[in-house]
C-alpha cells in the first residue's frame, strides 16, 4: 500500500470510486478536476497493487486559520483496515503545515461509521444542515476540530505510523 499526492492523471480512477461510493450525489468530473488543480486544495490517494482504493481532499487557503475536509472515500473492499483514519491524518497534518487552527467538515447523518471516526479524532458536532444531501434528503452534521488540541494529543508513535511512505497503515 502506498499514499501520494493526487494528480489530474488520477481523475478517472477517483471518479470511478466517487460514483461507486456516492451513487446519488457524486461530484461531477469538472468539480473534481477543479479541486485537484486548485492551489487551495490538497488531495491524496492510496493505492494497493497499482489500484486506487481511496482518496481524500482538504481545502485550506494558505494563510487562513480554518480549513475544510472536502471528502474521504475508501473502496468498499478496502474499508475497516484503518485507511480512512490514515487519510484523515494526512489531511490534518497538511492543515497543520498550512497554519490552520480549526478544521471543519460535513458528514451524512446516516453515516455512523464516519461520524465515529471523526469523533475519535476530536471532532465535535457544531451544527446541522437539514436535507443537505440531495436527492436523499439526508441532514449534514457539521463538525469542527481544534487542530492545536489534536496535535497536542498525538504521540511520537502516531506521527511515525503516518510517515510519508504510508507504512503502518494496515
Amino acid at each position: 500500500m502506498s499514499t501520494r499526492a493526487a494528480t489530474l492523471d488520477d481523475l478517472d480512477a477517483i471518479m470511478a470510486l466517487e460514483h461507486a461510493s456516492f451513487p446519488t450525489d457524486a461530484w461531477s468530473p469538472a468539480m473534481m478536476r477543479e479541486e485537484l488543480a486548485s492551489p487551495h486544495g490538497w488531495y491524496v490517494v492510496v493505492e494497493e497493487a497499482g489500484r486506487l482504493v481511496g482518496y481524500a481532499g482538504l481545502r485550506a487557503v494558505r494563510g487562513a486559520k480554518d480549513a475544510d475536509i472536502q471528502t474521504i472515500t475508501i473502496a468498499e473492499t478496502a474499508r475497516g483496515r484503518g485507511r480512512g483514519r490514515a487519510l484523515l491524518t494526512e489531511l490534518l497534518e497538511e492543515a497543520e503545515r498550512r497554519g490552520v487552527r480549526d478544521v471543519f467538515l460535513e458528514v451524512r447523518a446516516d453515516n455512523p461509521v464516519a461520524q465515529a471516526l471523526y469523533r475519535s479524532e476530536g471532532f465535535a458536532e457544531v451544527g446541522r444542515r437539514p436535507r443537505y444531501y440531495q436527492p436523499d434528503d439526508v441532514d449534514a452534521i457539521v463538525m469542527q476540530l481544534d487542530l492545536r488540541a489534536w496535535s497536542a494529543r498525538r504521540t511520537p508513535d502516531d506521527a511515525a505510523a503516518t510517515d510519508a511512505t504510508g507504512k503502518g497503515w494496515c
Side-chain angles (χ1 to χ4, degrees), residues 86-155:
L87 287 173
L88 176 59
T89 300
E90 290 282 333
L91 298 182
L92 296 175
E93 288 174 347
E94 178 64 15
E96 274 187 306
R97 287 188 288 273
R98 294 187 183 201
V100 166
R101 290 187 186 148
D102 293 296
V103 179
F104 294 87
L105 60 80
E106 290 97 14
V107 61
R108 289 177 66 108
D110 63 355
N111 188 344
V113 173
Q115 292 169 42
L117 168 64
Y118 300 137
R119 278 193 303 275
S120 75
E121 290 295 329
F123 280 85
E125 182 175 338
V126 294
R128 288 198 176 230
R129 294 192 173 132
R131 304 176 64 201
Y132 181 81
Y133 292 100
Q134 292 298 319
D136 302 328
D137 285 336
V138 174
D139 291 357
I141 298 172
V142 180
M143 301 184 90
Q144 179 181 8
L145 175 73
D146 177 332
L147 193 57
R148 291 175 292 184
W150 175 82
S151 184
R153 285 192 315 271
R154 297 188 78 214
T155 67

Side-chain angles (χ1 to χ4, degrees), residues 6-18:
T7 70
L8 288 172
D9 291 338
D10 296 312
L11 182 62
D12 290 341
I14 287 172
M15 290 311 302
L17 185 51
E18 174 80 3

Side-chain angles (χ1 to χ4, degrees), residues 21-101:
S21 298
F22 308 108
T24 61
D25 61 350
W27 288 15
S28 71
M31 288 172 62
M32 188 61 74
R33 186 178 303 107
E34 284 183 33
E35 285 291 306
L36 292 172
S38 171
H40 306 301
W42 191 74
Y43 278 71
V44 291
V45 296
V46 62
E47 296 175 313
E48 291 179 355
R51 187 176 138 255
L52 190 140
V53 297
Y55 64 93
L58 177 77
R59 177 160 289 268
V61 176
R62 295 215 185 257
K65 296 302 176 194
D66 64 348
D68 293 296
I69 292 180
Q70 301 292 84
T71 189
I72 298 176
T73 307
I74 303 295
E76 189 171 354
T77 58
R79 291 179 189 158
R81 293 184 236 154
R83 284 154 184 81
R85 184 177 307 278
L87 287 173
L88 176 59
T89 300
E90 290 282 333
L91 298 182
L92 296 175
E93 288 174 347
E94 178 64 15
E96 274 187 306
R97 287 188 288 273
R98 294 187 183 201
V100 166
R101 290 187 186 148

